[in-house]
Amino acid sequence: STGAVTKPLQPVATASWSATVAADTIIPANVAQVNTGSHLASSGRFTAPIAGTYWYSFTGMKADSTNNLKVDLLKNGSAAGHPAYTRDTIYYRASSFGYIDLAANDYLEFKVAAGHGNLHVTYGTMNFALVA
């Protein structure tokens, strides 16, 4: 109620998705393993409850051999951070991680880039956490 974030309520989320994700699509987070504070929606949108520095990560696997896999981190709908990318053949993994400063109510999403391959239904996660 005072706005202080304590360790038991510190925003932390880890989730995956339940189906192959096509190009030009926000990656859903409909298989949540951890969602402390419920700041990660099943749509894949993580909303920062307070201003701070957040850690993010993504790992996933290419589902087909048609195109490269590229996954972008979006902050408030615009590209931010470094994309996860692989140009190799089927079943290669791509990952991205880092820190990002967010204001209260800023949001992050991962999106499979347009013109790229599909994201495999298994072997991947997205993660978000307030660190400072």
Side-chain angles (χ1 to χ4, degrees), residues 7-107:
K7 286 292 185 184
L9 300 177
Q10 185 171 351
V12 174
T14 297
S16 57
W17 42 95
S18 61
T20 298
V21 182
D24 202 24
T25 303
I26 300 294
I27 301 169
N30 54 4
V31 183
Q33 287 85 30
V34 175
N35 196 3
T36 304
S38 299
H39 301 290
L40 179 59
S42 63
S43 66
R45 179 175 286 189
F46 175 82
T47 304
I50 63 167
T53 300
Y54 289 77
W55 175 77
Y56 67 88
S57 73
F58 168 84
T59 186
M61 184 180 287
K62 187 176 171 187
D64 53 53
S65 59
T66 57
N67 287 309
N68 303 331
L69 175 65
K70 181 183 177 196
V71 174
D72 293 313
L73 174 69
L74 305 180
K75 176 182 174 182
N76 300 329
S78 298
H82 298 285
Y85 180 78
T86 182
R87 64 180 192 164
D88 295 312
T89 58
I90 193 165
Y91 298 131
Y92 275 79
R93 297 178 68 84
S95 62
S96 178
F97 54 90
Y99 297 94
I100 191 166
D101 289 326
L102 299 177
N105 298 314
D106 279 351
Y107 64 90

